Amino acid sequence: MLLLRCPLLLLLLLPPDSRPQKLPTRDEELFQMQIRDKAFFHDSSVIPDGAEISSYLFRDTPKRYFFVVEEDNTPLAVTVTPCDAPLEWKLSVQELPEEASGEGSGDPEPLEQQKQQITSEEGTELFSYKGNDVEYFVSSSSPSGLYQLDLLSTEKDTHFKVYATTTPESDQPYPELPYDPRIDVTSLGRTTVTLAWKPSPTASLLRQPIQYCIVINKEHNFKSLCAVEAKLSSDDAFMMAPKPGLDFSPFDFAHFGFPADSGKERGFLKSSKFGRQMSPKPRVDLQRICIGNKNIFTVSDLKPDTQYYFDMFAVNTNTNMSTAYVGTFARTKEEAKQKTVELKDGKVTDVFIKRKGAKFLRFAPVSSHQKVTFSVHSCLDAVQIQVRRDGKLLLSQSAEGVRQFQLRGKAKAKYLIRLKGSKKGASMLKILATSRPNKQSFPSLPEDTRIKAFDKLRTCSSVTVAWLGTQERNKFCIYKREVDDNYNEEQKKREQNQCLGPDTRKKSEKVLCKYFHSQNIQKAVTTETIRGLQPGKSYLLDVYVIGHGGHSVKYQSKLVKTRKFC
């Protein structure tokens, strides 16, 4: 029987005349009480029977754990799980010490001498391993003795887990893997990957509660869920580590021949929290998804033409212990190559972009040029524009309404323009590229394109409105349309396509056209009274400014209503 409880090691270290001739077997009721109290084994040097412990190693600082097997021919299983660094570990056994003679005097040996007798002798090595795999030592018949587990990390400070049991057949805390533990990629898209795997026999045969957790990242496969958790923690969980020299607990002192208050004298027991506590910060390149007991899942929202690594862990929800399937990797499909639209110098091009989509345009001036101008007229929501010259990024901005970008030219240069649409819906825009500085197709606009209505000048048959102009002489046309009384802002918003010009309006809706400008930008304001309206009726007013090239831009629509009684 494996005795990994703390009181046993204390019995080993007590004077010979104070301990019984035979070590007792495991008191199951007491053992269950002890393993429920996680603090009981925290940072202890004794491994409990049938419970997984978590601990921490400082780089190049070995750590030793003990447990006792009382009887010969006892089954034994030991599992060591490295978390975020490879480990070197060794399992050895030495005979239990005989009762001391006290140099023939019959007096018991001092506690310190007994402790040294147990721990200083080199035992018989049973197993050793070096690496970052989850590794096991399993024996159906182990000799009695004091077992020592020595661990060392030579790379960096790291977490690890240890599990040992003398009843491996009945315990089975780790989910069992199927005969084929691989993850299959059943479907591959530009942004999705579908995975399938065979269920764990622990769930299908033993009917134990199992859930599956998928881990997705772009770097490498993981060999344990412990390694994933270490990666997800801030600073690789280093800030959660105990401080050097304080890696003890009251249990260590009380059960290795030291008085229980030794730690207090040194200030070791003032707090159970060592080091600064920092909340974990999930990293964007690593994602963990637990999906219940399904054995097929589609991972979505991936990037096209990107390699991802996929790991699957079966987790026993009763014990919270897990087993890793054989991980896999896959590269998502490339984005469909889009046709690049050629822009002609000085000619306006209409562009339509799907929601969240993008379009690529190319501009190659035929002659040498000192400057190149890109004019963008976004018909609906703002769009993102990027301009590269011979691969070098020159411009990356958001464009709303009419925007003009002037860039320094270069002989024989070629320009690649990337237009990205809105997340809200489809985008429409007009774009003009030119190497001739005086070629302007879009009219200039003021910063404020709203139409203002004067409530005090409103009558039963007329309304008076005003709008801003610019220093450039342009043609302005105003149109009216009668609408229902329940016409609202949402309907008006749907009609805010600034690229629809006066040519789409009925002739009966036209009020007038006039030219207007002012050298003093502060005085660039014009007013107009619209007559011949019906009492108590609602009208939608639109103002269009028309540039020298014939292209128009619509101001923001204005909803007005005449007085019902005058």
Side-chain angles (χ1 to χ4, degrees):
M1 189 71 176
L2 175 65
L3 295 169
L4 307 170
R5 299 182 293 108
C6 309
L8 277 185
L9 202 53
L10 176 61
L11 288 170
L12 281 172
L13 302 178
L14 290 174
D17 58 352
S18 64
R19 64 188 183 192
Q21 292 297 314
K22 184 178 180 182
L23 295 172
T25 56
R26 183 170 88 183
D27 183 335
E28 191 65 30
E29 182 178 350
L30 175 62
F31 169 68
Q32 291 298 331
M33 178 275 292
Q34 290 170 343
I35 65 170
R36 283 195 295 268
D37 182 5
K38 297 298 183 183
F40 190 82
F41 292 105
H42 177 67
D43 284 335
S44 166
S45 295
V46 175
I47 304 175
D49 188 356
E52 186 179 63
I53 65 168
S54 300
S55 193
Y56 197 86
L57 275 175
F58 291 103
R59 184 171 63 88
D60 295 330
T61 303
K63 206 167 194 177
R64 175 171 289 180
Y65 289 88
F66 300 93
F67 57 86
V68 174
V69 171
E70 179 195 27
E71 300 173 355
D72 288 331
N73 303 317
T74 299
L76 175 63
V78 179
T79 303
V80 177
T81 303
C83 290
D84 47 352
L87 295 181
E88 298 178 21
W89 64 273
K90 178 180 70 173
L91 182 67
S92 56
V93 62
Q94 57 180 285
E95 292 183 3
L96 294 172
E98 298 293 335
E99 291 188 354
S101 62
E103 297 183 353
S105 64
D107 298 327
E109 292 182 349
L111 288 176
E112 183 64 26
Q113 292 184 24
Q114 292 185 46
K115 182 170 77 73
Q116 290 176 359
Q117 180 183 354
I118 294 174
T119 59
S120 61
E121 295 178 6
E122 287 295 326
T124 302
E125 183 176 315
L126 300 177
F127 183 80
S128 64
Y129 173 75
K130 182 179 181 180
N132 59 356
D133 283 327
V134 179
E135 194 55 68
Y136 313 87
F137 170 79
V138 180
S139 174
S140 60
S141 179
S142 297
S144 62
L146 176 68
Y147 284 73
Q148 297 174 185
L149 178 64
D150 296 287
L151 302 105
L152 177 68
S153 172
T154 58
E155 267 193 22
K156 62 176 183 177
D157 301 350
T158 182
H159 287 275
F160 66 93
K161 293 185 177 183
V162 175
Y163 174 80
T165 180
T166 53
T167 54
E169 291 298 324
S170 60
D171 283 3
Q172 295 185 340
Y174 294 99
E176 187 181 348
L177 290 177
Y179 68 91
D180 182 3
R182 294 174 297 180
I183 306 171
D184 295 320
V185 178
T186 60
S187 177
L188 198 61
R190 290 193 296 272
T191 60
T192 60
V193 173
T194 300
L195 307 172
W197 57 95
K198 293 177 176 60
S200 165
T202 306
S204 57
L205 300 178
L206 301 180
R207 303 298 180 186
Q208 292 191 24
I210 297 294
Q211 78 164 341
Y212 299 99
C213 294
I214 301 172
V215 174
I216 309 109
N217 79 105
K218 300 178 187 177
E219 296 180 5
H220 56 77
N221 287 110
F222 288 90
K223 297 183 179 180
S224 69
L225 202 52
C226 173
V228 175
E229 291 163 353
K231 185 74 172 178
L232 283 171
S233 299
S234 62
D235 296 330
D236 287 338
F238 289 159
M239 299 310 297
M240 303 293 286
K243 294 180 180 178
L246 303 186
D247 193 13
F248 300 102
S249 73
F251 175 82
D252 293 319
F253 295 111
H255 294 80
F256 280 92
F258 294 95
D261 60 350
S262 296
K264 293 181 182 178
E265 294 174 1
R266 307 179 192 184
F268 293 158
L269 307 181
K270 292 180 180 179
S271 173
S272 61
K273 295 182 180 180
F274 302 110
R276 287 186 295 155
Q277 300 294 317
M278 296 189 64
S279 58
K281 297 178 181 177
R283 301 188 175 190
V284 294
D285 60 345
L286 180 63
Q287 187 180 12
R288 177 176 56 186
I289 308 170
C290 293
I291 59 169
N293 57 7
K294 295 185 294 184
N295 63 333
I296 186 169
F297 185 75
T298 298
V299 184
S300 57
D301 295 326
L302 303 176
K303 292 183 178 180
D305 194 26
T306 303
Q307 181 159 300
Y308 289 90
Y309 294 85
F310 303 95
D311 292 289
M312 176 62 58
F313 299 94
V315 182
N316 187 326
T317 56
N318 281 344
T319 64
N320 204 31
M321 296 164 77
S322 60
T323 305
Y325 279 66
V326 178
T328 189
F329 61 89
R331 178 174 287 273
T332 50
K333 291 184 178 180
E334 292 184 14
E335 193 78 72
K337 292 186 177 180
Q338 295 189 2
K339 182 181 178 181
T340 302
V341 179
E342 293 285 343
L343 295 178
K344 293 184 179 180
D345 198 328
K347 184 178 179 181
V348 175
T349 301
D350 294 309
V351 180
F352 175 81
I353 308 172
K354 293 180 181 179
R355 177 177 174 267
K356 292 185 178 181
K359 281 288 178 70
F360 292 89
L361 304 96
R362 183 173 173 271
F363 179 53
V366 294
S367 59
S368 60
H369 55 285
Q370 292 183 335
K371 293 181 180 180
V372 62
T373 302
F374 293 95
S375 299
V376 179
H377 181 191
S378 177
C379 306
L380 299 170
D381 296 312
V383 295
Q384 294 289 329
I385 178 171
Q386 282 187 352
V387 179
R388 294 180 184 271
R389 185 184 64 203
D390 300 331
K392 182 180 179 181
L393 183 65
L394 301 180
L395 172 71
S396 181
Q397 283 192 29
S398 175
E400 188 171 11
V402 175
R403 290 289 304 274
Q404 192 175 88
F405 305 99
Q406 197 169 72
L407 306 174
R408 182 174 295 179
K410 187 178 179 182
K412 298 181 180 179
K414 293 180 176 62
Y415 300 86
L416 182 67
I417 303 97
R418 181 178 184 266
L419 299 169
K420 187 176 181 181
S422 168
K423 295 180 180 179
K424 300 176 183 178
S427 300
M428 292 183 290
L429 58 97
K430 295 176 181 288
I431 184 169
L432 177 142
T434 181
S435 58
R436 292 170 283 178
N438 297 325
K439 186 71 174 179
Q440 301 242 356
S441 288
F442 297 134
S444 58
L445 287 175
E447 290 186 7
D448 190 347
T449 59
R450 291 176 298 176
I451 302 171
K452 178 177 174 58
F454 298 97
D455 187 65
K456 290 183 179 180
L457 301 179
R458 185 166 55 102
T459 71
C460 291
S461 60
S462 68
V463 293
T464 301
V465 295
W467 64 91
L468 298 177
T470 65
Q471 294 173 313
E472 181 183 333
R473 188 173 184 268
N474 285 316
K475 183 181 180 180
F476 294 87
C477 294
I478 186 165
Y479 283 73
K480 71 176 190 318
R481 177 164 64 93
E482 185 179 333
V483 294
D484 296 333
D485 287 339
N486 58 0
Y487 188 88
N488 55 37
E489 289 296 323
E490 187 62 32
Q491 289 174 285
K492 188 176 75 171
K493 188 176 180 181
R494 288 199 296 265
E495 297 178 4
Q496 287 293 346
N497 186 342
Q498 290 188 333
C499 296
L500 295 178
D503 54 326
T504 63
R505 304 295 296 261
K506 297 178 180 178
K507 288 184 178 181
S508 60
E509 295 176 349
K510 182 177 179 180
V511 177
L512 59 87
C513 290
K514 68 177 183 179
Y515 287 89
F516 164 71
H517 78 290
S518 176
Q519 293 300 323
N520 185 347
I521 195 65
Q522 303 295 331
K523 296 182 179 180
V525 182
T526 185
T527 61
E528 195 65 45
T529 299
I530 301 155
R531 306 179 191 279
L533 307 179
Q534 298 298 316
K537 297 293 184 180
S538 297
Y539 293 87
L540 191 68
L541 304 182
D542 289 307
V543 171
Y544 299 88
V545 55
I546 303 168
H548 300 300
H551 295 282
S552 64
V553 179
K554 185 165 73 73
Y555 278 50
Q556 297 179 40
S557 300
K558 180 66 177 178
L559 185 64
V560 296
K561 187 173 184 178
T562 56
R563 295 188 186 277
K564 194 170 185 179
F565 303 103
C566 295

